[in-house]
Amino acid sequence: MSIRVVVADDQAMVRRGFRMLLDDEPDIEVVAEAGDGEQAVRAVRALAPDVALMDIRMPGLNGLEATRMLSGQPTRIIVLTTFDLDEYVYEALRAGAAGFLTKEAPAERLIEAVRVVAAGDGMLAPAVTRRVIEAFARAPAPRRAPALDTLTVREVEVLRLMARGLSNPEIAARLFISDTTAKTHVSRILTKLGLRDRIQAVIFAYESGLVVPG
């Protein structure tokens, strides 16, 4: 079954380029295009695609506002922008985006992001991850979240490693457990904390004070 995608960007040439790139993949299908945030919201609600590529700067309803409006939808949103500024990154993730890429990212990175996000995980460009961590470094010291008390000692260890950007195999190697066990721990952490994916887990780890930058 193909991954169904909606492309939202106010520039027709950009939308066409994304459509050609994605439609060329055997497992991806662009089902609609949108020229602004309102069109994007209508398309996502009507078609329920697996993934939406959402430009930030669009006339009328911008990409961040559209992402917030779609936060309750099953569609996973990848925010795309020419500007990798801190406030855009953080606000996009807080709004519920499952991924964040700059438009300068290589074509293969965009295709990979669509597949990763459609599979239920989150994806950030490495430079974006650094900016998020730097933003937390400048923020006031957070207070410990009571929800952390619902996790076991091992789950807390796993969450710390997730927040440092380690993949499931890397977590498994660090803790001398199997990949399957690491995956199970990650799934339980997300369920207990009511989080959607690894990106939300990373934000929670920093906001709760479990992990500090550095």
Side-chain angles (χ1 to χ4, degrees):
M1 183 178 295
S2 295
I3 299 170
R4 302 169 67 252
V5 180
V6 165
V7 176
D9 194 291
D10 62 333
Q11 298 183 47
M13 290 289 288
V14 173
R15 295 199 305 272
R16 190 171 301 118
F18 284 147
R19 175 184 279 275
M20 291 177 61
L21 175 68
L22 296 174
D23 276 344
D24 199 41
E25 297 298 311
D27 59 334
I28 300 175
E29 175 191 7
V30 175
V31 295
E33 297 179 20
D36 57 43
E38 292 181 357
Q39 291 179 13
V41 170
R42 287 198 298 270
V44 168
R45 287 176 172 170
L47 300 172
D50 301 294
V51 177
L53 298 182
M54 189 79 70
D55 184 29
I56 284 185
R57 292 195 170 188
M58 294 187 289
L61 190 72
N62 66 39
L64 290 180
E65 293 167 338
T67 298
R68 291 191 188 97
M69 291 179 66
L70 294 170
S71 61
Q73 300 291 317
T75 299
R76 313 268 290 161
I77 297 175
I78 299 173
V79 171
L80 292 165
T81 182
T82 307
F83 309 94
D84 60 344
L85 301 179
D86 295 342
E87 63 265 28
Y88 288 136
V89 176
Y90 188 68
E91 284 304 312
L93 298 179
R94 293 292 295 170
F100 190 106
L101 292 174
T102 61
K103 291 182 180 178
E104 290 75 20
E108 57 270 20
R109 178 60 63 84
L110 174 61
I111 294 168
E112 178 191 9
V114 169
R115 290 177 177 141
V116 167
V117 166
D121 212 335
M123 182 167 183
L124 293 178
V128 172
T129 302
R130 288 195 297 271
R131 287 179 178 272
V132 172
I133 293 173
E134 289 166 2
F136 280 113
R138 295 191 299 269
R143 290 185 294 180
R144 180 179 173 85
L148 284 173
D149 295 331
T150 66
L151 304 181
T152 66
V153 173
R154 177 63 89 185
E155 288 166 351
V156 170
E157 288 180 304
V158 171
L159 180 54
R160 282 198 177 99
L161 295 176
M162 289 171 63
R164 295 301 186 192
L166 273 66
S167 65
N168 287 353
E170 290 170 335
I171 292 172
R174 182 73 63 89
L175 299 179
F176 302 102
I177 58 179
S178 69
D179 290 2
T180 301
T181 300
K183 183 177 180 180
T184 299
H185 283 313
V186 170
S187 178
R188 287 175 178 168
I189 289 167
L190 298 181
T191 299
K192 286 184 177 182
L193 299 180
L195 304 175
R196 185 190 60 232
D197 53 36
R198 299 176 80 96
I199 289 179
Q200 287 195 340
V202 170
I203 292 176
F204 175 87
Y206 280 97
E207 288 188 335
S208 66
L210 177 66
V211 177
V212 295

